[in-house]
Amino acid sequence: MDYSKLIDDFSNFTGRSTVVSISIFAAVLCLCILIGHLFEEHRWVNESITAILIGGIVGAIILFSSKGVNSHILRFDEELFFIYLLPPIIFNAGFQVKKKQFFHNFRTIMSFGVLGVFISFSIISVGCCWLYPKVGFSGLNLQDYLALGTIFSSTDTICTLQVLSQEETPRLYSLVFGEGVVNDATSVVLYNAIKKIDVSSLEGRTVLKVLGDFLYLFTTSTLLGVATGLLTAYGLKALYFGRHSTDREIALMALMAYLSYMLAELLQLSGILTVFFCGIVMSHYAWHNVTENSRITTRNIFAAMSFMAETIIFLYVGMDALDIDKWKKSETRLRTVFGIYGVTLFLILLGRAAFVFPLSVMSNYFSSPSERQLITFKHQVVIWWAGLMRGAVSIALAYNQFTFSGVTWDPIHATIVTSTIVVVLFSTLVFGFLTRPLITMMLPHRHQSETGNHHGSDNGSPSKDDMIFPFLTLDNDPSSSGLLQAKQSLSMLLERPVHTIHVHWRKFDDAYMRPVFGGPGLRIEEG
């Protein structure tokens, strides 16, 4: 069957070719979900790989049917990705996160997600600038090389998270998950900062300016997300939406989350960070201010939206690999092209290893003896492997830097775009195929008993460890003087800093935050 003729005939009949394209894409998406479900328990294949393979098959069918003219149903647009597809994924990540584990490992997550990106960015940028000409590829300027550093520093940990169990390996899951989200946010913020650099007048202060801009964006974006989440929680609690309409309170949560992302973009902040922390705050306060029906519905709706967005992205990546226009525009020799692939993958492996293993050792060293939950070498290997895969953020940044509305007429830029697609496909398919066997080999027996002392409840009630923690009893001991209490508190803070800060926050949260914004323990009557 001639696919192009079918599309043209039906488009002429309806007068709306976009409707046809969306209908076909929706049908392929449904097929992708069904096949992904059938392979859910397969050892080698996960839903991300399934979506990419189906996208590649559909792209090949369209390409042959159109006689080499086109391989898409819809054309990729980085604005579509950043405005519509990315927000539900990041928000759901914050909304579903196990907060206790995330903040318990906050220092390590931030070191991986922020400092690690800078290390990887430096190695990849310098490496590309040095090695690309050696394989016969040139024509990029300094800003392009810096952009490549951010493009290939952005990880995609979805494949690994689909294999890891949050219940069986809570800390490892938290580290991989948290670093993945912070990594994406850091890469995008760093990329935006680099775009503002005037490469013609670089000075020593330029680095300080980039760091200053980065810290400003990171802080303000986080605060905006927290403020939006608190405002939503207060509105739901004060106005008693739960007594009137489940639909309205769910709609309010969804719209406020999306509004936080768009406000961040409007203010030129990091929408990823904003909507992520908005999700965390909403799950801690706002989610407890709605009816039980709304709680169940929001969990399912946000998870479903995130799942569909992820599938759409990977499905399109598979189809875009066969975009004949980009391959035609690239005039680079085959030997040079394979040299670019090899250099890029080598730098990704090196840049990842350059911070995962040293920062893990540092995290172990600074952990106090009383809470010695070390990142073992096997865990380090899993964390390193989890960040080797590149995904949609890398492709979106590459399109933003080297194309205009998804199209490029520059052969050099076309080569970079096609190379990015190949690296994303190779890393996702090859590394993704090997993820499950690797984790099975590294972590053969992980059971709930392992996590008994570390995986506390996230519903706001104290864990067993919190209840026996001596710091909690200080205020209730009338025989303790203020000086003795302060001394004991300081001693505990030095011995168990993360745990002590968590207890302080728990007491502050119970005394001041939850009475105003709601939280665990609040019961809303069904409307």
Side-chain angles (χ1 to χ4, degrees):
M1 179 180 291
D2 190 336
Y3 174 82
S4 299
K5 186 175 185 303
L6 177 64
I7 292 292
D8 292 338
D9 292 343
F10 195 76
S11 298
N12 293 332
F13 176 75
T14 61
R16 294 178 295 177
S17 60
T18 302
V19 175
V20 182
S21 299
I22 293 177
S23 299
I24 297 174
F25 194 90
V28 174
L29 184 61
C30 292
L31 177 66
C32 187
I33 293 173
L34 290 175
I35 296 177
H37 177 72
L38 294 177
F39 285 102
E40 185 176 9
E41 300 300 327
H42 198 279
R43 183 178 180 183
W44 300 89
V45 181
N46 55 51
E47 289 170 342
S48 302
I49 295 175
T50 302
I52 288 179
L53 292 177
I54 292 177
I57 293 172
V58 173
I61 294 173
I62 297 174
L63 186 65
F64 285 114
S65 300
S66 62
K67 298 179 180 180
V69 176
N70 185 29
S71 68
H72 304 112
I73 299 175
L74 298 172
R75 181 168 294 279
F76 182 85
D77 187 344
E78 65 271 15
E79 290 188 1
L80 173 69
F81 169 75
F82 281 111
I83 294 178
Y84 298 107
L85 296 180
L86 190 59
I89 296 175
I90 303 300
F91 174 76
N92 184 65
F95 196 76
Q96 305 284 0
V97 68
K98 298 290 185 181
K99 295 178 289 298
K100 184 176 181 179
Q101 277 295 328
F102 180 81
F103 286 104
H104 184 77
N105 299 298
F106 190 75
R107 180 180 61 191
T108 305
I109 288 172
M110 296 304 291
S111 66
F112 283 163
V114 178
L115 183 58
V117 167
F118 276 89
I119 295 174
S120 177
F121 156 77
S122 303
I123 291 175
I124 294 175
S125 295
V126 173
C128 289
C129 187
W130 178 44
L131 294 176
Y132 275 6
K134 292 186 180 297
V135 298
F137 183 72
S138 58
L140 299 176
N141 57 38
L142 179 59
Q143 191 174 57
D144 290 335
Y145 284 118
L146 294 176
L148 285 175
T150 61
I151 289 169
F152 292 117
S153 293
S154 176
T155 65
D156 191 335
T157 58
I158 292 175
C159 286
T160 306
L161 291 176
Q162 289 175 350
V163 178
L164 285 175
S165 171
Q166 190 169 6
E167 302 301 326
E168 295 177 0
T169 55
R171 191 182 190 214
L172 182 60
Y173 188 97
S174 177
L175 290 175
V176 173
F177 166 80
E179 190 236 335
V181 176
V182 177
N183 173 287
D184 285 345
T186 303
S187 299
V188 173
V189 171
L190 185 58
Y191 172 79
N192 290 332
I194 288 172
K195 293 253 322 183
K196 299 177 183 178
I197 295 178
D198 184 5
V199 294
S200 61
S201 59
L202 290 178
E203 301 176 356
R205 292 179 295 179
T206 304
V207 176
L208 295 177
K209 185 177 185 302
V210 171
L211 290 176
D213 290 342
F214 173 81
L215 292 174
Y216 166 76
L217 291 173
F218 206 92
T219 304
T220 51
S221 300
T222 301
L223 292 177
L224 177 60
V226 171
T228 307
L230 291 176
L231 179 62
T232 306
Y234 181 78
L236 288 171
K237 183 175 183 294
L239 301 178
Y240 297 101
F241 274 102
R243 293 185 178 180
H244 302 289
S245 173
T246 297
D247 299 336
R248 288 189 179 90
E249 59 194 15
I250 295 174
L252 182 65
M253 291 178 68
L255 290 174
M256 287 296 290
Y258 189 70
L259 179 62
S260 72
Y261 184 90
M262 296 309 298
L263 281 176
E265 295 298 315
L266 181 65
L267 299 174
Q268 297 184 335
L269 303 176
S270 171
I272 295 178
L273 272 177
T274 297
V275 78
F276 175 69
F277 280 98
C278 180
I280 290 179
V281 174
M282 278 194 184
S283 68
H284 188 64
Y285 296 110
W287 187 74
H288 297 277
N289 295 340
V290 298
T291 62
E292 187 65 27
N293 288 337
S294 297
R295 295 177 192 179
I296 297 173
T297 305
T298 52
R299 290 283 187 188
N300 294 329
I301 284 179
F302 296 149
M305 291 172 62
S306 173
F307 171 73
M308 286 192 294
E310 291 172 1
T311 306
I312 289 171
I313 290 170
F314 283 110
L315 184 61
Y316 188 87
V317 167
M319 286 190 292
D320 201 55
L322 300 175
D323 185 0
I324 198 67
D325 291 336
K326 296 184 182 65
W327 296 98
K328 286 181 178 179
K329 294 292 187 304
S330 177
E331 300 174 357
T332 310
R333 293 182 305 170
L334 188 62
R335 181 180 177 183
T336 301
V337 167
F338 278 99
I340 294 172
Y341 301 159
V343 166
T344 305
L345 288 170
F346 168 75
L347 292 174
I348 289 173
L349 292 166
L350 179 62
R352 183 76 184 166
F355 75 84
V356 168
F357 297 103
L359 293 181
S360 296
V361 173
M362 289 179 58
S363 177
N364 291 338
Y365 177 78
F366 285 109
S367 296
S368 61
S370 59
E371 54 178 7
R372 208 64 156 175
Q373 193 182 5
L374 301 180
I375 305 175
T376 65
F377 179 74
K378 290 183 178 181
H379 285 178
Q380 294 173 32
V381 172
V382 172
I383 294 171
W384 170 72
W385 186 269
L388 293 179
M389 285 158 276
R390 297 299 179 263
V393 173
S394 296
I395 290 181
L397 294 180
Y399 271 70
N400 188 273
Q401 177 69 20
F402 298 106
T403 71
F404 180 76
S405 296
V407 179
T408 179
W409 301 102
D410 188 331
I412 302 297
H413 290 176
T415 300
I416 293 297
V417 172
T418 55
S419 298
T420 303
I421 294 173
V422 169
V423 168
V424 169
L425 287 175
F426 181 87
S427 63
T428 302
L429 293 177
V430 177
F431 298 154
F433 269 120
L434 298 176
T435 295
R436 192 182 295 269
L438 175 72
I439 293 178
T440 302
M441 180 179 65
M442 288 290 175
L443 311 170
H445 301 290
R446 312 296 291 185
H447 300 290
Q448 282 283 51
S449 59
E450 175 195 78
T451 64
N453 295 329
H454 304 293
H455 186 53
S457 172
D458 263 351
N459 61 4
S461 58
S463 65
K464 180 179 179 182
D465 199 18
D466 292 336
M467 293 165 62
I468 65 174
F469 184 49
F471 182 82
L472 290 178
T473 64
L474 293 179
D475 290 340
N476 300 325
D477 186 359
S479 63
S480 299
S481 65
L483 181 61
L484 179 59
Q485 290 186 27
K487 182 179 178 180
Q488 290 174 328
S489 298
L490 181 60
S491 176
M492 285 295 183
L493 180 61
L494 294 175
E495 183 183 0
R496 307 185 69 184
V498 175
H499 197 113
T500 306
I501 292 173
H502 173 74
V503 172
H504 274 301
W505 163 249
R506 177 70 61 80
K507 297 175 70 176
F508 175 80
D509 192 30
D510 290 339
Y512 300 102
M513 299 295 288
R514 290 180 183 175
V516 177
F517 300 105
L522 180 68
R523 293 290 181 266
I524 298 294
E525 297 178 3
E526 296 284 351

